[in-house]
């Protein structure tokens, strides 16, 4: 009887998981198929179009500076990813291995500060960028994205705390300084964590809309998120199929990146769960 109940519960669980997966994937499938549907209609009688066309993808690069938006977004995301990952790793290493006055107070302050939504500081950041003459420049986005990365130190610190101090002490006996220990010992042992931080910081900069919309003014400087929003807020607002094609191209690199790095992402996400 217990065996029958376990099988029944297993079947019910799998059915529920399939239904949840279909419910979650349906909007994405709808957008993908809409990008290949002829015309500009938002709705159709069937999910699968009668015939497929690539005209919307061609029009995307003819009517809009979509290639410029793509290059701008990739440039901002890659530079922000590199500096964000480096800053948060250095911050986590400092809090994990150094003991200095005010350490716990700074950690608590950064932890509490990170709990507030980032858009609360948008006005102050905007005024700073205005005084620094950085508005409508990609360097402004790179600076803000990278500077705020240190507030995510907690995961890195938790992971570095699990690395035995005997490795560091052995390297220090051989004459290694802190930079050598960091780059030669900690970073090679933290590959899953580095991949997780890199992918999440890249995705955050790649998909950001609110701050990019505030800073970037001209259409040539815009990112993909801002550009796609401008597509549905001007004279092309009724051409949903072109917008769907843009959404597919935007989601493509992020999807490939997450799928290819899935194993490292899972390891990196759970890396700092144990406190050493």
């Amino acid at each position: 009887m217990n065996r029958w109940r376990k099988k029944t519960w297993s079947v019910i669980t799998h059915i529920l998981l399939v239904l949840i997966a279909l419910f979650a994937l349906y909007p994405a499938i709808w957008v993908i198929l809409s990008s290949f549907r002829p015309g500009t209609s938002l709705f159709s009688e069937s999910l699968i179009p009668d015939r497929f066309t690539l005209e919307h993808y061609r029009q995307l690069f003819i009517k809009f500076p979509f290639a410029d938006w793509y290059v701008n977004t990739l440039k901002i995301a890659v530079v922000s990813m590199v500096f964000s990952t480096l800053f948060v790793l250095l911050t986590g290493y400092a809090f994990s291995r150094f003991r200095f006055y005010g350490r716990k107070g700074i950690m608590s302050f950064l932890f509490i500060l990170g709990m507030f939504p980032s858009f609360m500081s948008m006005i102050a950041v905007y005024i700073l960028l205005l005084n620094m003459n950085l508005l409508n420049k990609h360097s402004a986005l790179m600076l803000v994205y990278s500077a705020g990365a240190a507030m995510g130190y907690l995961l890195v610190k938790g992971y570095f705390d699990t690395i035995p101090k005997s490795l560091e002490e052995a390297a220090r006996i051989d004459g290694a300084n802190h930079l050598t220990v960091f780059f030669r010992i900690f970073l090679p042992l933290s590959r899953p964590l580095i991949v997780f931080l890199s992918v999440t910081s890249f995705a955050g900069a790649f998909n950001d809309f609110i701050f990019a919309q505030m800073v970037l003014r001209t259409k040539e400087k815009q990112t993909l998120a801002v550009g796609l929003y401008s597509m549905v807020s001007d004279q092309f607002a009724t051409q949903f199929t072109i917008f769907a094609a843009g959404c597919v191209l935007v989601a493509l690199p992020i999807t490939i990146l997450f799928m290819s790095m899935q194993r490292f992402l899972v390891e990196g996400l759970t890396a700092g769960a144990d406190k050493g």
Side-chain angles (χ1 to χ4, degrees), residues 81-103:
M81 175 192 69
V82 173
F83 285 100
S84 297
T85 305
L86 180 61
F87 289 163
V88 71
L89 287 173
L90 288 173
T91 305
Y93 176 77
F95 284 129
S96 175
R97 287 301 191 255
F98 289 90
R99 297 295 182 268
F100 51 90
Y101 178 78
R103 171 178 171 271

Side-chain angles (χ1 to χ4, degrees), residues 6 18 138 144 157 163 165 186 199-200 229 235 237 252 263 272 275:
K6 289 181 179 180
V18 170
H138 295 153
V144 174
K157 177 189 176 299
I163 297 178
K165 290 187 178 181
F186 278 76
V199 172
T200 52
Y229 174 77
Q235 67 269 25
L252 194 60
R263 178 172 63 88
K275 182 179 179 181

Side-chain angles (χ1 to χ4, degrees), residues 25-35 37 42-43 47 240:
L25 292 175
Y26 178 80
I29 297 174
W30 179 58
V31 171
I32 293 173
L33 293 178
S34 296
S35 67
R37 181 185 300 118
L42 177 63
F43 299 101
L47 177 65
F240 172 76

Side-chain angles (χ1 to χ4, degrees), residues 207-226:
N207 296 322
D208 180 63
F209 167 75
I210 298 178
F211 189 71
Q213 168 75 2
M214 182 184 70
V215 174
L216 303 177
R217 300 299 184 180
T218 59
K219 182 165 290 189
E220 294 76 16
K221 292 281 189 177
Q222 289 177 346
T223 59
L224 286 170
V226 180

Side-chain angles (χ1 to χ4, degrees), residues 148-169:
M151 289 188 293
Y153 76 92
L154 194 59
L155 179 65
V156 180
K157 177 189 176 299
Y159 183 83
F160 284 167
D161 286 343
T162 62
I163 297 178
K165 290 187 178 181
S166 58
L167 296 176
E168 179 183 359
E169 293 172 353

